């Protein structure tokens, strides 16, 4: 037992473990080790963010996608998906509602939908930025060229979330069709950092074929990338995918990985994801108590929320935006945290690229 606690101590002190040490720690976790980890995670969470939980207003503007990822409910082969696109006016209405509710970050998320050309996206981004100059704009719209990322950044986008899903090559190939590559996904992430985005990545926990060695590769890659945000959540199957009958990820392992991320990189922005709340009614609260510090209420029109179904049984698809925010605010208060309305930029807490202990 002490040797595993010593590994957590080493991670806290150096931000580094070997692959073998990562595997050993992940494979031998138990309740006692987890509690030891979470206590340290909360220490660093409070050091840099106090009890503040940052909100990001999520706008899911299109569920069309050219890709065919085996785990995703909006994959192009899903003929049962009821497709939709929000137009610019609808997206601006979402922002207006969100701004009045106190949101100062808007997350524009969608499938890789070619209908939204570079020109259309830049126009939407610049219009939002002009009307709400005190707000941050996060994009989550997949793999693009350096030139495209640069144009979106120059139009006013501040942040970009592109989950790598797995950093192990063989595992990546099990989750994606042949036209997608881990090499290109990594290229995109390093391009985003080079341009100047606050860059986010992340991975699924418990996806088919994942091992402790896969998770070790994820942690090593994240350490190399030095992102500003990491979004992780449990794999949740979707009934219209090749993984429909696969076993989903667990809350327990997801929380453990959140804690490890917080201890390894104390200043990270770490969401307690909707997927975590989907498989456990108290999942988001547990995520916060394991070290997370971001929640992402949905600002999308209620008429389309159920259609953006990446996985089965997604929560909060019927609530109005105000209801969702009020509910989350109370739930955070119940565990001693406070939802705040400022942008919550990583750079406010960033002295250097490397974490300073």
């Amino acid at each position: 037992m002490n040797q595993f606690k010593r590994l957590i101590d080493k991670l806290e002190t150096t931000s580094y473990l070997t692959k073998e040490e990562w595997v050993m720690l992940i494979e031998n976790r138990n309740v006692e080790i987890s509690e030891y980890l979470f206590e340290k995670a909360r220490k660093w969470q409070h050091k840099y963010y106090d009890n503040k939980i940052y909100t990001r207003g999520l706008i899911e503007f299109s569920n069309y996608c050219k890709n065919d990822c085996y785990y995703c409910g909006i994959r192009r082969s899903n003929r049962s998906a009821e497709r939709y696109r929000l137009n610019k006016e609808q997206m601006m209405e979402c922002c207006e509602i969100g701004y009045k509710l106190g949101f100062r970050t808007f997350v524009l998320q969608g499938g890789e939908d070619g209908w939204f050309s570079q020109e259309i996206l830049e126009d939407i981004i610049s219009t939002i930025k002009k009307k709400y100059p005190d707000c941050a704009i996060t994009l989550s719209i997949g793999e693009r060229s350096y030139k495209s990322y640069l144009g979106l950044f120059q139009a006013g986008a501040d942040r970009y979330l592109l989950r790598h899903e797995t950093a192990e090559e063989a595992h990546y190939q099990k989750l994606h069709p042949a036209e997608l590559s881990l090499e290109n996904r990594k290229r995109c992430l390093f391009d985003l950092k080079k341009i100047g985005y606050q860059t986010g990545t992340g991975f699924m926990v418990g996806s088919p074929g994942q091992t402790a060695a896969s998770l070790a590769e994820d942690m090593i890659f994240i350490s190399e990338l030095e992102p500003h945000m990491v979004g992780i959540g449990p794999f949740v199957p979707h009934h219209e995918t090749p993984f429909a009958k696969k076993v989903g990820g667990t809350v327990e392992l997801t929380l453990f990985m959140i804690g490890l991320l917080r201890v390894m990189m104390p200043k990270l922005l770490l969401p307690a994801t909707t997927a975590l709340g989907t498989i456990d009614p108290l999942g988001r609260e547990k995520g916060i108590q394991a070290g997370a510090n971001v929640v992402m209420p949905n600002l999308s029109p209620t008429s389309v929320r159920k259609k953006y179904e990446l996985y089965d049984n997604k929560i909060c698809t019927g609530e109005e935006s105000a209801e969702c925010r009020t509910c989350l605010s109370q739930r955070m208060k119940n565990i001693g945290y406070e939802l705040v309305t400022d942008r919550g930029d990583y750079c406010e807490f960033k002295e250097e690229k490397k974490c300073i202990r």
Side-chain angles (χ1 to χ4, degrees):
M1 185 69 66
N2 286 338
Q3 65 174 316
F4 305 122
K5 290 183 178 180
R6 283 197 294 270
L7 287 178
I8 294 172
D9 293 342
K10 177 185 174 181
L11 182 64
E12 181 179 38
T13 304
T14 67
S15 295
Y16 173 81
L17 294 178
T18 66
K19 182 175 179 178
E20 292 73 21
E21 288 172 332
W22 280 119
V23 170
M24 188 186 307
L25 182 56
I26 293 167
E27 287 185 338
N28 289 280
R29 68 190 188 279
N30 58 29
V31 173
E32 183 179 341
I33 293 169
S34 295
E35 285 306 315
Y36 185 77
L37 172 67
F38 298 151
E39 185 177 346
K40 287 184 177 294
R42 288 190 293 269
K43 179 185 75 173
W44 290 107
Q45 176 198 56
H46 281 78
K47 175 177 174 61
Y48 290 110
Y49 298 100
D50 196 24
N51 70 334
K52 294 182 174 67
I53 303 300
Y54 297 98
T55 53
R56 278 72 168 103
L58 182 60
I59 303 170
E60 297 164 332
F61 66 90
S62 172
N63 72 344
Y64 284 86
C65 190
K66 69 178 185 181
N67 293 329
D68 215 19
C69 303
Y70 303 145
Y71 50 82
C72 184
I74 64 170
R75 64 197 304 261
R76 69 169 185 261
S77 292
N78 181 6
R79 306 303 179 194
S80 300
E82 189 178 348
R83 306 291 179 174
Y84 74 92
R85 295 183 180 104
L86 301 183
N87 60 35
K88 179 181 176 181
E89 290 69 29
Q90 290 173 305
M91 293 167 74
M92 293 305 296
E93 288 174 11
C94 294
C95 292
E96 182 177 0
I97 291 168
Y99 194 85
K100 289 178 180 177
L101 289 171
F103 292 97
R104 294 300 178 264
T105 295
F106 301 123
V107 180
L108 308 185
Q109 179 172 299
E112 294 195 23
D113 181 359
W115 186 91
F116 286 92
S117 66
Q118 185 76 14
E119 182 180 5
I120 290 172
L121 287 170
E122 288 183 12
D123 176 60
I124 291 169
I125 292 165
S126 61
T127 302
I128 294 173
K129 202 69 171 183
K130 183 176 180 180
K131 186 167 184 181
Y132 305 106
D134 56 331
C135 292
I137 297 175
T138 301
L139 302 179
S140 182
I141 52 177
E143 297 180 3
R144 306 178 74 87
S145 68
Y146 185 95
K147 182 178 179 181
S148 174
Y149 286 145
L150 180 60
L152 300 175
F153 183 76
Q154 291 171 338
D158 303 277
R159 305 169 179 155
Y160 204 104
L161 177 60
L162 182 66
R163 300 204 325 183
H164 67 276
E165 301 302 0
T166 176
E168 186 179 62
E169 181 66 45
H171 188 215
Y172 194 91
Q173 293 172 1
K174 291 178 182 177
L175 303 179
H176 302 91
E179 63 264 25
L180 297 178
S181 73
L182 179 58
E183 180 184 9
N184 191 60
R185 183 59 62 107
K186 288 183 175 182
R187 186 273 304 168
C188 289
L189 284 162
F190 284 105
D191 281 353
L192 290 163
K193 283 207 69 182
K194 184 177 180 181
I195 288 167
Y197 283 95
Q198 292 183 44
T199 302
T201 190
F203 55 89
M204 290 181 291
V205 178
S207 57
Q210 187 180 72
T211 63
S214 311
L215 290 168
E217 293 285 359
D218 288 320
M219 300 302 283
I220 291 167
F221 172 67
I222 288 169
S223 180
E224 293 170 353
L225 178 66
E226 294 184 321
H228 308 90
M229 305 173 280
V230 176
I232 70 169
F235 162 69
V236 183
H238 187 283
H239 63 283
E240 291 287 348
T241 70
F243 292 160
K245 298 187 183 300
K246 297 292 186 181
V247 176
T250 65
V251 173
E252 179 268 329
L253 180 53
T254 303
L255 297 178
F256 194 74
M257 300 311 297
I258 288 173
L260 291 174
L261 284 163
R262 174 62 66 202
V263 172
M264 181 174 77
M265 302 179 71
K267 301 175 191 177
L268 277 176
L269 293 165
L270 275 172
T273 61
T274 303
L276 196 52
T278 295
I279 67 170
D280 185 328
L282 295 176
R284 285 175 293 186
E285 288 93 329
K286 292 176 182 178
I288 298 298
Q289 292 171 321
N293 64 335
V294 174
V295 290
M296 299 174 67
N298 204 325
L299 293 178
S300 307
T302 53
S303 60
V304 304
R305 291 187 190 180
K306 289 183 179 179
K307 299 175 185 177
Y308 199 84
E309 189 181 59
L310 305 182
Y311 47 83
D312 286 344
N313 303 314
K314 179 181 169 187
I315 58 172
C316 300
T317 56
E319 296 178 330
E320 295 295 337
S321 300
E323 291 176 16
C324 191
R325 192 192 186 288
T326 301
C327 172
L328 267 177
S329 179
Q330 185 57 53
R331 292 175 74 151
M332 294 302 104
K333 284 182 181 177
N334 291 345
I335 58 171
Y337 290 83
E338 176 190 5
L339 281 191
V340 294
T341 58
D342 59 68
R343 288 167 40 136
D345 285 306
Y346 176 93
C347 58
E348 292 177 13
F349 305 91
K350 184 180 177 188
E351 294 108 23
E352 294 180 8
K353 284 187 177 180
K354 285 288 186 183
C355 296
I356 304 299
R357 301 296 200 272

